[in-house]
Amino acid sequence: MADYEEKKDLTQSTLPKSTKSSDEFSGEVDPELRELLFQWRVPESDSGLDQRVLTAYRSQIAGIGRWKRLFRRRLSVPVPVAAALLIGMASLASRALTVPKVVRLEVPSPPRLVRVEVPIVHEKIVTRTVYRRAPVKEHQKKPSDQQVSPEASLRNSEAMQDPQIVARLAGFDPVEKIQLKVISWGGRRQ
Amino acid sequence: MTQTGRSEQELVKRSQRGDEDAFLELYLLYRDKVYRFAYRMLGERLGAEDVTQDCFLILVRQLDRYDPARAALGTYLYAVTRNLCHKRLRDTVQETAHEDTVEVTHDDSGPLGELLVAELSSQVAAAVANLPDLQREVVVLFEFEGLSLSEIAVIASTDVGSVKSRLYRARQRLRKSLDPYLRDSIRLATEK
């Protein structure tokens, strides 16, 4: 038991617990921990690393140089061709730079449409033909008329072509006042 | 800008123009720093070498992104390395990490001493590897590379407060995981 207590004391005394909080910590060196950490040795890099890096550098520079050469390449152009090119470029540039004259085109405004509503009257004209017997006056009677029987005169008229009417008008006695009733085909009175 | 900064800038410009000697000079100036940082972030030699190579090629290719007024060239290279490491960590499977940490030890204190140092080295490597990426980079840059908190903040694109808190948490975790080794080292120190 005493041995255990001694060990415990040793542990407590040898392990300096950091009583500081992270707020109070100001980045001071912990020598014990640092000494222990430095026991971790880093192996030497491979001897081929330097060569690899150098090779990669050369290829990269060569790659960059290729692009540079592409843009910095020298082209030998004959003087007349160069002059023609320059003149052409200058004319193109002047054309592009000259401000075109502004022409105003007046476009006539389209005619205004006005909608006017006109009432349309639908009319229907109905024509009816009514036949009635006109009264025969005495002085207008001709001797030939007297000889003609009423049946014969009726037979002459168009209305008497109906055999039913002929039958009813057998004892026809005209009235003094005529009340006209027009009856449509549908049976309605008009 | 300091004289060193101006000369470094000149070296980079000459490298861009295809001056191989300038590139080699620049490379030898920062090769070990970049490689060590990449190795401690990734935990594997081949990955660290690839990152080192890519870092210098990016420097030559994208010099216009580097603003000497904002940071020193070393800080810029650390930032590029950091980004490359994070990309690689995302892409590769973690199980391959730290497979070659045992090969690091070369000690002259005999086979037993060599074994002990190898054991300690692998334990420290494992403890650092178990840290979250953001804490690990802070520990590596502060403890191993000796950068200041403000420099680390520039590299990690964060503020000094975040760097402090990450470092604080990382140290706590490391103390916890390396507790037996810390006690041993203290005991050895007191016995001496």
Side-chain angles (χ1 to χ4, degrees), chain A residues 42-43, chain B residues 35-45 48 101 104:
Chain A
V42 176
Chain B
Y35 171 75
R36 275 199 317 261
F37 176 42
Y39 180 84
R40 286 186 166 126
M41 281 299 290
L42 300 173
E44 50 151 343
R45 204 187 69 225
T101 45
V104 300

Side-chain angles (χ1 to χ4, degrees), chain A residues 14-15 20 22 25 27-28 30 32 34 37-41 43 46 50 52 56-58 60, chain B residues 15 20 27 31 35 39-40 49-50 53 57 61 104 120 142-144 164 168 171 175 179 186:
Chain A
T14 53
L15 267 181
K20 283 184 177 179
S22 62
F25 175 68
E28 61 269 20
D30 183 344
E32 290 162 13
R34 184 168 275 192
L37 289 174
F38 268 91
Q39 298 302 313
W40 182 16
R41 306 280 168 81
D46 186 29
D50 299 350
R52 268 170 54 199
Y57 169 75
R58 279 173 188 157
Q60 187 167 312
Chain B
S15 304
E20 205 170 293
Y27 171 69
R31 178 193 60 187
Y35 171 75
Y39 180 84
R40 286 186 166 126
E49 286 177 358
D50 286 348
Q53 178 181 330
L57 293 183
R61 202 186 306 147
V104 300
L120 191 57
F142 186 82
E143 303 289 357
F144 293 102
K164 269 190 207 174
Y168 179 80
R171 274 179 178 176
R175 275 196 163 275
D179 180 31
I186 289 162

Side-chain angles (χ1 to χ4, degrees), chain A residues 6 12 20 25 27 31-32 51 63 71 73 79 87 93 99 102 105 107 110-111 133-134 150 153 161 164 181 185:
Chain A
E6 195 180 311
Q12 281 172 349
K20 283 184 177 179
F25 175 68
E32 290 162 13
Q51 195 54 46
F71 288 108
R73 178 173 282 180
V79 176
I87 290 165
V99 183
V102 180
L105 287 174
V107 181
R133 192 175 179 184
S153 65
Q161 285 177 6
Q164 283 182 354
K181 283 182 184 175
W185 286 109

Side-chain angles (χ1 to χ4, degrees), chain B residues 99-135:
Chain B
E99 60 187 9
D100 55 354
T101 45
V102 183
E103 69 179 288
V104 300
T105 52
H106 300 287
D107 201 72
D108 297 332
S109 58
L112 184 62
E114 198 175 320
L115 201 66
L116 285 171
V117 172
E119 164 71 10
L120 191 57
S121 176
S122 67
Q123 288 300 321
V124 173
V128 175
N130 282 332
L131 292 172
D133 292 348
L134 294 176
Q135 289 182 19

Side-chain angles (χ1 to χ4, degrees), chain A residues 151-172:
Chain A
E151 282 94 349
S153 65
L154 280 170
R155 214 175 291 133
N156 289 336
S157 71
E158 288 176 13
M160 287 296 107
Q161 285 177 6
D162 194 341
Q164 283 182 354
I165 296 169
V166 172
R168 261 191 278 154
L169 293 176
F172 180 71

